[in-house]
Amino acid sequence: MSKILVFGHQNPDTDAIGAAIAFAELQKALGKDAEAVALGAPSEETQYALDHFGLTAPRIVETVANETTDVMLVDHNEFQQSVADIAEVNILSVVDHHRIANFETANPLYYRAEPVGCTSTIVFKMYKEHTIDIPQAVAGMMLSAIVSDTLLFKSPTCTEEDIQAAKALAELADVDLEAYGLEMLKAGTKLSDKTVETLLDLDAKSFPMGDKNVRIAQVNTVDLAEVFERQAELEAAMDKANTDNGYDLFLLVVTNILDSDSELLVVGEPKANVEQAFNVALENNRAFLQGVVSRKKQVVPQLTESFN
Amino acid sequence: MSKILVFGHQNPDTDAIGAAIAFAELQKALGKDAEAVALGAPSEETQYALDHFGLTAPRIVETVANETTDVMLVDHNEFQQSVADIAEVNILSVVDHHRIANFETANPLYYRAEPVGCTSTIVFKMYKEHTIDIPQAVAGMMLSAIVSDTLLFKSPTCTEEDIQAAKALAELADVDLEAYGLEMLKAGTKLSDKTVETLLDLDAKSFPMGDKNVRIAQVNTVDLAEVFERQAELEAAMDKANTDNGYDLFLLVVTNILDSDSELLVVGEPKANVEQAFNVALENNRAFLQGVVSRKKQVVPQLTESFN
């Protein structure tokens, strides 16, 4: 049997990489020949975590069928977010915390999804269920993933299970949870050296809403003003992206991870839906969204509703 | 919040009903307001188990959105096997042991699938993980479900986990596993008082293979000869079913649960694919299939392969 490849979604975040490393280690401890790989390079935040715990980034793969027949997915299930040739291999396991869609197998499999804030929280439970010890560096990556997905527990997606898992993992990893977490999040907010095009593409997803095609990008920062210094440049790039890709409406959610608020920048139409969705008046194409940090829970549903 | 309805697939078997009862009980023990319901009446085998353990059959529902917003599925996930208005409600949980297909949710959920022989084996593990005691009658239904799905451990779908769960449940239910299991299976084999149409519809599924539409029905018996006394009548009904429903090929798999073998009856074309798939020559439209008891593992894949 060929080696089982374990990987998270395209454009990987810290959970996609951290959960892949942790789940591959668990499989190895259970006697399987598994290797964590990634569908892209680590972000600066993820690289900070890898460096801190002395790990190297997983090997990047473009396809998998050329080297294995069996794979395990973490932190995603939808085929369009997975490896290009996912339909050609046998999916043995999935561990995830998202909705299920565009996913299909020919055979029965292990599938473990829970509505928690982070995949690594579920992997942590699986280690406990199998009573297998978590190596220190692996615990560090799982902790980093939870801090990343929950913005240090401030996201409304965060559950009590995420908090308890993170506390236990911080002990195993021998780090101060708050201090380490904030440093890691800050490492992912170095936006000033990035082009506006890169910034708009760091974490962006498209959503059909009504008969419109809506693009929503999100970036984390500790300094909102620094990002909005380039507002004119950002707007030009968003306008060009709309034209080039057929988006009707482009939202950039700039999230201040220290205050847990966001500032919105909007290009395209219908802007009236944005104002209605968040009960704000756009000024200079911008609006402040008090307490909003989660695209999944605090942006997409509200905007979707305004189109219905 | 309205009561959560928990149910298995249409045309329910003992696992669809047993796992629904067991999972609803687990949810209640965890503080949820849950009720097991069913998408059809219990079979004679299931009714035997319910009677033995002093339980009443779950209420039968045709739709669910009229009485609840939230449901939990056991022993299935594909929407065409579920309640008619499944797309109108929120799926909180799934516990299953089948492939995943034709399944989609808008929100993150609990999904627990494992490639074991029976859903009730997974529910048994979940009781243990939550350290919740299983009531005696519930243990009896879970045991019955495992015996039913694995044909008393003789099916190739049976795993070591199913066997260990059944042994533990037999102790909790205070029954002799072998003796009770055989009596329950026999209770499901009273075929002589059923019309051939009923018999062909007890457990039948359709499968597209190549450009053909293949119908495969399975019945359990302790007396092959008794079933084949009505061969002419069965063939006439299968031929009529082919015409009425557009099936090209109709296979009836008559499984002897005592010997763990099956006798095949075939009506329609191409019969050559059947002969090739099982490496047999049909005589009088029949063939003996040594050691074959599982449609899922020993009939469908082999026949599918012969069409490729």
Side-chain angles (χ1 to χ4, degrees), chain A residues 92 96-116 125 129 161 296, chain B residues 92 96-116 125 129 161 296:
Chain A
L92 296 178
D96 191 21
H97 66 130
H98 295 92
R99 70 169 197 162
I100 299 177
N102 306 320
F103 179 81
E104 182 167 307
T105 63
N107 298 304
L109 74 164
Y110 285 94
Y111 199 112
R112 178 81 171 254
E114 300 189 14
V116 293
K125 289 171 71 172
E129 286 160 14
E161 288 195 273
K296 178 158 72 171
Chain B
L92 295 179
D96 192 19
H97 67 129
H98 295 92
R99 70 170 196 159
I100 299 177
N102 306 320
F103 179 81
E104 182 166 308
T105 63
N107 298 303
L109 74 164
Y110 285 94
Y111 199 111
R112 177 80 170 254
E114 300 189 14
V116 293
K125 289 171 71 172
E129 286 161 15
E161 288 195 274
K296 178 159 72 171

Side-chain angles (χ1 to χ4, degrees), chain A residues 11 43-44 188 190-204 215 217-219 230 233-234 237-238 241 250 252:
Chain A
N11 200 6
S43 69
E44 285 168 76
K190 286 178 194 145
L191 304 175
S192 56
D193 61 348
K194 293 191 173 61
T195 66
V196 290
E197 288 78 12
T198 300
L199 193 149
L200 291 172
D201 204 40
L202 278 178
D203 179 10
R215 183 77 167 172
Q218 184 171 25
V219 294
R230 293 196 277 172
E233 206 188 335
L234 283 165
M238 290 161 79
F250 199 135
L252 173 63

Side-chain angles (χ1 to χ4, degrees), chain A residues 236-294:
Chain A
M238 290 161 79
D239 190 50
K240 183 169 187 306
N242 284 356
T243 304
D244 290 352
N245 304 291
Y247 310 141
D248 298 288
L249 184 66
F250 199 135
L251 278 69
L252 173 63
V253 182
V254 186
T255 299
N256 185 326
I257 60 169
L258 298 180
D259 299 339
S260 303
D261 294 315
S262 294
E263 179 101 16
L264 197 59
L265 180 63
V266 186
V267 170
E269 292 295 342
K271 289 195 183 68
N273 287 65
V274 179
E275 298 191 318
Q276 185 200 327
F278 305 107
N279 195 24
V280 293
L282 291 171
E283 284 180 39
N284 184 24
N285 298 328
R286 290 163 58 173
F288 185 72
L289 303 182
Q290 183 96 37
V292 168
V293 297
S294 167

